[in-house]
Amino acid sequence: MSQDYARAIADSGLTIYDPIEVGDPDLWIPTPELEVLLDERLRGISLAGLALRTRSKVVKENVCRALGYPVPSSFKKTQPRFLGQMFDTYAQKSNNLQVWNEELSPTRRYVILRVDEADQIAGVKVVNGEELAQLDTTGTLTQKYQARLIPGAASEELISPTDTDALLPHTRAGANLAQTVSPIDHPTHGLILPIGEVFERLRGAVGRSFPDAGWDQERNRGAALHRIVCELLGYADYRDDGRFPDVRNQLLEVKLQTSPTIDLGLVRPASEEPLDVPQIAGTQVRHCDVRYALFYAQTDGAAVTLTHLYLTTGASFFSRFPQFGGKVLNKKLQIPLPSDFFYT
């Protein structure tokens, strides 16, 4: 329960500036739970009549109370403001999010509050920098990490025959996913399929087709593929909350490729930075432990047909897919939020 984190923080005596290890099972609040907790506690709070600076202070005070932190007499100008949980807050009455004088950080969280016409908090959404970067349609973030997929003779390639040493002890062959877990649940010890078994299950996708929603409908195309992946992995249902990695329960990121350019966003797959999920039996998962399933596909405009499957760990990603390009450093960002941002 998300409230358990607030109680643990209150009992700990920590302040918002005290560091917490990512994935700490008691004190680090994973992003999905952070969103639920803040949405429950902040929704309905009035900011009417407050000057911008006062409004920002009131928001931060209420966030402290919601999470179990003591409210400081004044807020330090740290980056981010909530150092312990690695997030900043933004109260938005418009859909134009402005991030000033900072780069987007893939590991930082951005707590975005929707303020309605009555100046009440109407909802809360929490995303990381990687997810924010994907929302940019202005061309500001033109240089993200990219790699190239060059198809070989084989239609199916298992690039990493085993999982990383960190993840391997927590995998179990034949784990039953149908009755115990959802695709968006956090990964747990003994319910993570070994990468070789993931490969065997996903091979059935090659040759399958689904309706093409259009070149400008990448989200819908991806959802169709994601549904096939969940089915083949053995889940009882299809769930997708738009967070990384796509199938969080299996630490599996799914990519649909109709061109050789692989967009990787702000995070290199081989990164050893911690991933925002709870520790697995004492092990903190890193980005390089994530498994990547890349499906190469062809489309005739009416249907997308999956022609190739590539499966790799993040640690081995660039051994098969050469990296190119770089990452731009942005000092002033204006990101238009989609109209359905608070409802997905």
Side-chain angles (χ1 to χ4, degrees):
M1 295 290 289
S2 54
Q3 291 86 352
D4 293 340
Y5 290 105
R7 283 191 287 269
I9 289 169
D11 292 341
S12 73
L14 295 173
T15 74
I16 62 172
Y17 306 111
D18 294 319
I20 293 172
E21 185 179 4
V22 175
D24 183 294
D26 299 315
L27 298 172
W28 174 265
I29 311 176
T31 294
E33 286 80 358
L34 180 63
E35 181 175 285
V36 169
L37 183 55
L38 291 178
D39 189 72
E40 288 177 349
R41 299 290 181 87
L42 301 186
R43 187 184 288 262
I45 290 176
S46 176
L47 304 175
L50 300 179
L52 285 179
R53 183 170 294 182
T54 304
R55 183 174 74 170
S56 176
K57 183 170 187 270
V58 168
V59 165
K60 290 196 283 283
E61 288 173 347
N62 279 283
V63 169
C64 287
R65 297 186 188 102
L67 302 185
Y69 285 108
V71 177
S73 55
S74 62
F75 287 91
K76 302 176 186 177
K77 292 185 177 181
T78 57
Q79 289 188 344
R81 291 292 191 265
F82 287 78
L83 274 173
Q85 297 289 340
M86 284 297 291
F87 70 78
D88 281 310
T89 57
Y90 297 85
Q92 291 291 129
K93 204 165 185 178
S94 75
N95 281 346
N96 186 37
L97 176 66
Q98 298 186 36
V99 180
W100 295 96
N101 301 317
E102 297 178 50
E103 303 167 20
L104 281 185
S105 166
T107 55
R108 185 175 301 183
R109 279 98 69 84
Y110 299 79
V111 173
I112 305 173
L113 297 83
R114 163 63 78 193
V115 179
D116 63 18
E117 293 303 314
D119 284 324
Q120 288 188 334
I121 297 174
V124 177
K125 187 83 171 176
V126 183
V127 295
N128 60 33
E130 170 69 9
E131 292 159 342
L132 265 190
Q134 294 173 14
L135 299 178
D136 175 62
T137 58
T138 64
T140 308
L141 297 169
T142 53
Q143 292 184 334
K144 306 164 190 175
Y145 288 122
Q146 294 180 320
R148 182 168 296 280
L149 193 165
I150 304 171
S155 60
E156 302 155 8
E157 290 185 36
L158 178 59
I159 295 150
S160 310
T162 61
D163 286 292
T164 58
D165 291 343
L167 190 60
L168 196 57
H170 305 293
T171 64
R172 182 166 67 87
N176 183 357
L177 309 180
Q179 299 177 355
T180 51
V181 287
S182 161
I184 63 172
D185 286 347
H186 294 304
T188 55
H189 177 81
L191 283 176
I192 303 172
L193 297 170
I195 192 169
E197 186 168 346
V198 172
F199 180 69
E200 290 301 321
R201 295 192 183 195
L202 294 186
R203 292 175 73 177
V206 175
R208 291 182 61 166
S209 300
F210 52 85
D212 190 344
W215 64 269
D216 59 343
Q217 297 292 316
E218 287 189 22
R219 184 183 297 184
N220 291 333
R221 277 177 167 181
L225 174 58
H226 195 171
R227 190 179 297 274
I228 291 172
V229 167
C230 288
E231 170 200 324
L232 293 176
L233 289 177
Y235 288 103
D237 65 347
Y238 158 73
R239 299 281 299 280
D240 179 11
D241 61 4
R243 302 188 189 279
F244 176 89
D246 295 308
V247 186
R248 187 183 307 117
N249 181 247
Q250 293 299 306
L251 292 171
L252 180 68
E253 175 73 352
V254 180
K255 288 189 172 293
L256 177 63
Q257 296 293 137
T258 53
S259 76
T261 301
I262 307 168
D263 287 320
L264 299 171
L266 301 180
V267 180
R268 296 176 74 252
S271 168
E272 296 186 359
E273 289 291 319
L275 189 66
D276 178 17
V277 296
Q279 293 175 357
I280 304 174
T283 298
Q284 183 53 51
V285 176
R286 305 157 300 168
H287 283 272
C288 60
D289 300 315
V290 171
R291 290 87 71 87
Y292 286 76
L294 284 75
F295 290 90
Y296 206 77
Q298 295 177 345
T299 178
D300 60 6
V304 176
T305 301
L306 304 175
T307 60
H308 295 74
L309 164 65
Y310 307 89
L311 186 62
T312 180
T313 62
S316 299
F317 191 94
F318 292 121
S319 71
R320 174 62 176 82
F321 310 111
Q323 179 184 348
F324 64 87
K327 185 179 66 171
V328 70
L329 302 181
N330 299 283
K331 294 303 180 185
K332 295 181 181 179
L333 301 177
Q334 296 192 60
I335 300 175
L337 302 177
S339 59
D340 62 349
F341 179 73
F342 289 90
Y343 309 103
T344 57

